[in-house]
């Protein structure tokens, strides 16, 4: 019951903020001009700052575990490639491939990972190491698949454009700037860190408000099937297979919880921001974000309960 209450406390406020964004557009406080401008600001400024702070302040040197890092990076890479391949084969509307792939493999591990592990064990454990291992891959793979997905149907893929999109992506730049701070335990001056944390704290609520403000019921018709498919992959298929593999590899306790949250957390709202700014199917992405957020309070809690019942955590 405590895990259910914790999960509901983590998800219900998210839906309330999304609903508020929808209502703010309806009453005219969020105008049609404001929404895309705010999306660009969030993508280019606040989200990169949030990502930089999360990684730069992560404690990875004192508990570095190569086996854990390789497992997290390997399963993330394999998941991405399998989902991308299946999406290219099975989705009739090829313009959905990028958004579907990104939303199916990329979760809000950076937001929920430390919270869940700390809630169970009283400390972050290997959760910061998990974030450093997979968040860079999340962003690199997302830029690749969205860059290819934004190409006009039938046009020749410009790999130079894809590479440029990766190198100049604000989120990836933030990761590479932050990594030396985490790797070498470089402390950011307190005054500067406070300023960065204040700016970064805007990112998630602003993204949620804009997600709600951008939602159009008529634009998501015909996309419920792919959205439900992505939700099943994100909340059931990936967690089930990867957590089982983690158990067979000998992971237990806080490490296993970090892996479970990495795979079973809902699709991050940053997916919507990236899809919209990189001219992909933002409507499909917004539907997947809302569905995975809604159902993850049940699926993630059930997964944690099963692991506890089997004495794995």
């Amino acid at each position: 019951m405590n895990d259910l209450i914790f999960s509901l406390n983590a998800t219900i406020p998210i839906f309330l903020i999304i609903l508020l964004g929808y209502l703010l557009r309806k009453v005219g406080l969020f105008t049609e001009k404001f929404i895309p401008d705010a999306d660009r600001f969030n993508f280019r400024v606040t989200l990169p700052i949030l990502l930089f702070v999360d990684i730069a302040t992560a404690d990875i040197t004192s508990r570095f575990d190569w086996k854990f890092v390789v497992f997290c990076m390997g399963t993330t890479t394999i998941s991405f490639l399998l989902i991308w391949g299946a999406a290219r084969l099975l989705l009739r509307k090829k313009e959905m491939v990028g958004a579907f792939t990104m939303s199916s493999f990329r979760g809000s591990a950076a937001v929920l990972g430390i919270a869940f592990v700390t809630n169970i064990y009283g400390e972050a454990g290997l959760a910061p190491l998990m974030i450093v291992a997979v968040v860079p891959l999340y962003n690199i793979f997302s830029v690749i698949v969205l860059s290819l997905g934004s190409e006009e149907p039938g046009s020749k893929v410009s790999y130079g454009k894809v590479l440029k999109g990766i190198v100049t992506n604000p989120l990836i730049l933030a990761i590479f700037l932050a990594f030396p701070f985490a790797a070498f335990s470089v402390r950011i001056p307190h005054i500067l860190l406070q300023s960065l944390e204040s700016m970064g704290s805007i990112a998630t609520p602003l993204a949620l408000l804009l997600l709600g403000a951008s939602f159009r019921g008529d634009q998501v018709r015909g996309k419920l099937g792919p959205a439900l498919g992505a939700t099943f992959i994100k909340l059931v298929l990936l967690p089930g297979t990867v957590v089982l593999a983690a158990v067979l590899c000998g992971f237990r306790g806080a490490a296993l919880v970090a892996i479970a949250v990495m795979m079973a957390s809902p699709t991050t709202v940053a997916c919507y921001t990236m899809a919209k700014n990189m001219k992909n199917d933002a409507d499909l992405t917004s539907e997947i974000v809302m569905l995975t957020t809604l159902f993850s309070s049940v699926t993630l809690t059930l997964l944690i309960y099963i692991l506890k019942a089997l004495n794995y955590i």
Side-chain angles (χ1 to χ4, degrees), residues 32-45:
E32 296 299 328
K33 183 180 184 304
F34 170 78
I35 294 172
D37 289 342
D39 263 321
R40 281 192 294 272
F41 171 74
N42 205 27
F43 179 65
R44 296 181 181 276
V45 180

Side-chain angles (χ1 to χ4, degrees), residues 1-3 119-121 256-257 301-313:
M1 181 60 71
N2 289 335
D3 288 334
N119 185 60
I120 295 173
Y121 291 101
L256 188 57
V257 173
T301 300
L302 181 60
L303 178 59
I304 296 297
Y305 174 79
I306 291 173
L307 293 176
K308 276 187 174 181
L310 295 174
N311 292 319
Y312 290 140
I313 62 175

Side-chain angles (χ1 to χ4, degrees), residues 155-232:
S155 64
K156 187 177 180 180
V157 175
S158 171
Y159 292 101
K161 181 180 177 182
V162 174
L163 180 60
K164 181 181 178 181
I166 295 172
V167 174
T168 61
N169 183 274
L171 300 179
I172 293 177
L173 289 175
I175 291 168
F176 282 105
L177 287 173
F179 188 76
F181 288 87
F184 301 106
S185 300
V186 178
R187 296 189 64 179
I188 302 173
H190 182 68
I191 294 176
L192 178 59
L193 181 60
Q194 277 194 316
S195 300
L196 292 173
E197 287 177 338
S198 296
M199 284 296 297
S201 66
I202 302 171
T204 299
L206 179 58
L208 293 171
L209 286 170
L210 294 170
L211 173 61
S214 301
F215 183 76
R216 304 289 194 279
D218 57 329
Q219 292 179 352
V220 299
R221 291 174 186 169
K223 300 180 181 180
L224 183 60
L228 287 174
T231 300
F232 174 78

Side-chain angles (χ1 to χ4, degrees), residues 4-305:
L4 177 60
I5 293 173
F6 177 82
S7 297
L8 290 174
N9 285 335
T11 55
I12 296 302
I14 292 176
F15 269 102
L16 293 178
I17 297 174
I18 293 173
L19 177 61
L20 176 60
Y22 178 79
L23 294 175
L24 288 173
R25 179 178 63 83
K26 283 294 186 181
V27 300
L29 289 177
F30 276 11
T31 65
E32 296 299 328
K33 183 180 184 304
F34 170 78
I35 294 172
D37 289 342
D39 263 321
R40 281 192 294 272
F41 171 74
N42 205 27
F43 179 65
R44 296 181 181 276
V45 180
T46 57
L47 276 174
I49 289 176
L50 175 64
L51 195 55
F52 174 84
V53 172
D54 282 344
I55 293 178
T57 58
D59 178 19
I60 63 172
T61 55
S62 61
R63 297 191 178 188
F64 197 84
D65 183 334
W66 273 112
K67 180 182 177 182
F68 179 80
V69 170
V70 170
F71 183 88
C72 291
M73 296 181 72
T75 52
T76 297
T77 302
I78 292 170
S79 299
F80 163 72
L81 292 174
L82 290 176
I83 294 169
W84 190 15
R88 289 174 64 87
L89 287 174
L90 299 177
L91 287 178
R92 288 180 296 176
K93 296 182 178 180
K94 299 307 177 185
E95 63 271 19
M96 289 185 178
V97 170
F100 179 92
T101 302
M102 175 179 64
S103 302
S104 297
F105 84 90
R106 181 177 180 176
S108 51
V111 177
L112 293 181
I114 293 176
F116 262 90
V117 176
T118 303
N119 185 60
I120 295 173
Y121 291 101
E123 60 176 355
L126 292 177
L129 189 60
M130 176 269 290
I131 292 171
V132 173
V134 302
V135 168
L137 293 180
Y138 282 167
N139 285 278
I140 292 171
F141 292 156
S142 296
V143 171
I144 291 172
V145 76
L146 291 179
S147 296
L148 294 174
S150 65
E151 298 286 341
E152 293 295 327
S155 64
K156 187 177 180 180
V157 175
S158 171
Y159 292 101
K161 181 180 177 182
V162 174
L163 180 60
K164 181 181 178 181
I166 295 172
V167 174
T168 61
N169 183 274
L171 300 179
I172 293 177
L173 289 175
I175 291 168
F176 282 105
L177 287 173
F179 188 76
F181 288 87
F184 301 106
S185 300
V186 178
R187 296 189 64 179
I188 302 173
H190 182 68
I191 294 176
L192 178 59
L193 181 60
Q194 277 194 316
S195 300
L196 292 173
E197 287 177 338
S198 296
M199 284 296 297
S201 66
I202 302 171
T204 299
L206 179 58
L208 293 171
L209 286 170
L210 294 170
L211 173 61
S214 301
F215 183 76
R216 304 289 194 279
D218 57 329
Q219 292 179 352
V220 299
R221 291 174 186 169
K223 300 180 181 180
L224 183 60
L228 287 174
T231 300
F232 174 78
I233 292 171
K234 186 72 198 71
L235 301 184
V236 180
L237 185 59
L238 283 185
T241 53
V242 173
V243 170
L244 176 59
V247 170
L248 294 176
C249 288
F251 291 106
R252 299 290 186 273
L256 188 57
V257 173
I259 291 170
V261 174
M262 175 184 75
M263 285 297 168
S265 58
T267 302
T268 176
V269 69
C271 288
Y272 164 78
T273 305
M274 289 189 70
K276 190 168 185 178
N277 278 271
M278 296 183 70
K279 297 178 173 55
N280 273 249
D281 196 333
D283 297 320
L284 174 62
T285 307
S286 68
E287 196 167 353
I288 296 170
V289 169
M290 286 188 278
L291 285 173
T292 56
T293 302
L294 175 63
F295 292 116
S296 65
S297 61
V298 176
T299 56
L300 185 52
T301 300
L302 181 60
L303 178 59
I304 296 297
Y305 174 79

